[in-house]
Amino acid sequence: MAPPPVRRHRSDSPPKLPAPSLILAGRALLGGRLQPVEIAIGEDGRIASIGRIRTGAPRHDVGDAVILPAATDLHVHLRDPGGSPDVENFSTGTIAAALGGTTLVGEMPNTSPPVTDPDRMAEKAARAHGRAAVDVLLYADPVGATDLGPLARAAGGFKVYLSPTSGIDRVPRPSELPPLWRRMLAYDLPISVHAEDPARFDPRAIPSDPTGWNEWRPPAAEEAAIAMVASAPTGLRLHVAHVTTARSVARVRELGWSCEVTPHHLLLSDGSGTDARFKVNPPLRSEEERRALWEAYRSGRVPVVASDHAPHALADKSLPFEQAPSGVPGAETMLPLLLSRARSGELDLGVLVATACDRPARWFGQPLGRVAVGHRANLLVVDFRSRTALSGRHLHSACGWTPFEGWEAIFPREHYRDGVRIVEDGEYVGQPTGRILRPEYAPGPDRAA
Ligand code: DOR
Ligand code: ZN
């Protein structure tokens, strides 16, 4: 007797994909190669399918341009609240990010007041709501927090400052670190560490220009801070912010943590300028250190690139070096500067996409950063022939200057957020519908790598 027919349960039928609302046709980096592709974007704003697609949905052919995933920037300072809105705020900083191809920013807690309790976190989230052009993940500062639980449940990540810097005067004593790490173990949040040990700052150095600043806060201070963190318990999701030397990168990777490098430490050295526009923490290093860092990055040894966008008023940066604040803007220029390096052949496009788009999105636990089915259709269209020279006056960060004045950059022609175009012909055309995100999933065993 023939077996009874297998009754198909309703859930056995293939899931119904949302009807595509747009098909993007162009070239994309798939399997490590640029290949002609059609990407169907569903009505839910996710990538529905990749391949040759036959439907009646509107088709947008981008010609010779390249379709890339939009970037995630783990490290920005938007100065909101407490800063002057003429220097930066949620609106200007996120529009700048969108124009630079960044679709999610991690916003640091050293605002005024610093984000050390849930009320301040809620206040910051309320300020971002209705103003942010891209999505935002808010970091909390656990050092000054009394009750970590409610803060951790509202935060997207923690930022631990081991040395004083703009907006941070109080840093944990070495004896305070073990209980701090233990308290954070209970929450599966990304932890970014500003690794400079103030005990290693050199009192003999004369910090009146970037070379003196580098001598005053030397690479040894970074290495000592990394050694201080090395005794943290395993299980924390540690990420070292703005690592400045290839030695530090190697050490951080040995320890199994994640880390980021910034475009300014990759491209500028302590000889790039003499005034306070080139003052930043940690400092710009020697040309030799910079070259070694670039080589580590170029060869794929650094998991993430992040801007450490730290806008300050040009008037403040024009003060005598000793009095001027530290920090350089960079949210809008990070990807465009590196896209220009990819065009010239100095940087592999795959390394750039992995470090600026895929790994940082995974570090924040987000379905972003890859041209992959099911991911949010946060995509860029980049025409590598359209090269421009950077000019601070034409950038969109309210601070209005860049340490990369005159440098070649390639800006995305289009930026789609959930399938909706927010940048068209290099102009911002979006709405302030950015959301506050928290990690949706924990990254895999290799962390951000
Ligand atoms: O140079 C810096 N500026 N380094 C930091 O760590 C903070 C930043 C700022 O907020 O201005
Ligand atoms: Zn920073």
Side-chain angles (χ1 to χ4, degrees):
M1 218 171 76
V6 179
R7 285 186 57 191
R8 280 181 77 90
H9 190 267
R10 255 208 291 172
S11 65
D12 285 347
S13 51
K16 211 167 166 289
L17 292 170
S21 58
L22 176 69
I23 294 164
L24 270 184
R27 292 181 300 152
L29 201 58
L30 295 173
R33 281 193 307 123
L34 278 181
Q35 305 191 32
V37 72
E38 291 187 0
I39 299 168
I41 301 172
E43 270 165 13
D44 60 354
R46 303 252 170 173
I47 297 177
S49 61
I50 301 168
R52 285 229 152 266
I53 296 152
R54 286 191 196 106
T55 79
R59 191 170 177 283
H60 176 44
D61 193 332
V62 305
D64 278 345
V66 175
I67 302 166
L68 295 175
T72 289
D73 188 344
L74 297 187
H75 193 154
V76 307
H77 301 263
L78 299 184
R79 313 294 192 213
D80 198 349
S84 159
D86 299 342
V87 172
E88 203 67 294
N89 56 70
F90 271 113
S91 173
T92 55
T94 54
I95 288 174
L99 287 162
T102 291
T103 213
L104 167 60
V105 294
E107 210 279 324
M108 289 296 171
N110 63 332
T111 31
S112 179
V115 183
T116 50
D117 69 47
D119 290 344
R120 290 177 180 178
M121 180 61 82
E123 188 201 337
K124 192 181 261 197
R127 295 182 75 88
H129 187 79
R131 293 196 177 91
V134 299
D135 292 339
V136 180
L137 179 141
L138 297 174
Y139 287 94
D141 173 359
V143 174
T146 40
D147 187 1
L148 208 52
L151 183 62
R153 281 186 284 279
F158 290 125
K159 175 68 182 277
V160 176
Y161 289 92
L162 296 180
S163 78
T165 186
S166 312
I168 299 290
D169 302 322
R170 180 178 134 49
V171 296
R173 285 188 296 274
S175 63
E176 290 175 303
L177 281 176
L180 178 68
W181 302 133
R182 273 199 302 279
R183 285 201 295 154
M184 285 192 289
L185 257 183
Y187 313 99
D188 199 18
L189 288 177
I191 304 169
S192 174
V193 181
H194 181 124
E196 285 185 285
D197 177 1
R200 299 299 178 102
F201 293 173
D202 186 348
R204 293 160 309 174
I206 306 156
S208 57
D209 62 16
T211 312
W213 194 242
N214 181 21
E215 283 159 8
W216 191 61
R217 300 174 79 121
E222 180 172 281
E223 284 154 24
I226 291 169
M228 271 161 71
V229 184
S231 57
T234 52
L236 292 170
R237 294 175 57 198
L238 289 169
H239 171 93
V240 183
H242 43 51
V243 167
T244 62
T245 71
R247 290 183 305 288
S248 295
V249 170
R251 184 68 187 126
V252 165
R253 301 303 284 153
E254 259 167 36
L255 290 161
W257 308 336
S258 171
C259 67
E260 78 203 18
V261 293
T262 67
H264 48 275
H265 293 114
L266 285 174
L267 301 173
L268 302 173
S269 67
D270 65 355
S272 295
T274 53
D275 60 75
R277 283 175 306 153
F278 300 89
K279 181 179 183 186
V280 60
N281 296 331
L284 299 176
R285 302 306 187 191
S286 68
E287 180 59 14
E288 195 186 347
E289 296 275 27
R290 182 200 72 78
R291 276 178 209 265
L293 188 70
W294 173 261
E295 185 51 30
Y297 176 66
R298 197 198 56 76
S299 62
R301 281 180 271 147
V302 179
V304 172
V305 64
S307 71
D308 192 5
H309 175 70
H312 291 281
L314 196 49
D316 292 340
K317 292 296 258 181
S318 308
L319 291 167
F321 194 89
E322 299 80 332
Q323 292 162 32
S326 298
V328 295
E332 191 170 353
T333 53
M334 174 174 77
L335 197 64
L337 280 165
L338 295 172
L339 284 169
S340 153
R341 298 289 145 140
R343 191 207 65 86
S344 67
E346 292 160 87
L347 177 63
D348 181 79
L349 189 57
V351 169
L352 175 52
V353 168
T355 54
C357 313
D358 182 19
R359 292 201 196 104
R362 279 200 270 157
W363 186 248
F364 277 168
Q366 299 302 319
L368 284 171
R370 266 178 276 173
V371 177
V373 172
H375 269 224
R376 293 175 62 189
N378 291 30
L379 301 169
L380 308 175
V381 174
V382 175
D383 178 354
F384 280 92
R385 289 167 309 193
S386 127
R387 294 142 67 186
T388 49
L390 288 180
S391 134
R393 279 191 303 134
H394 296 128
L395 291 171
H396 298 77
S397 165
C399 77
W401 64 279
T402 170
F404 295 103
E405 191 68 33
W407 284 59
E408 184 185 292
I410 296 176
F411 283 86
R413 191 168 79 197
E414 296 171 34
H415 181 164
Y416 291 81
R417 174 171 177 267
D418 298 319
V420 175
R421 203 180 292 158
I422 63 170
V423 172
E424 192 176 300
D425 285 335
E427 300 281 332
Y428 176 69
V429 294
Q431 298 294 324
T433 53
R435 287 183 292 134
I436 307 292
L437 302 182
R438 300 187 69 243
E440 286 183 18
Y441 61 87
D446 197 18
R447 310 297 179 97

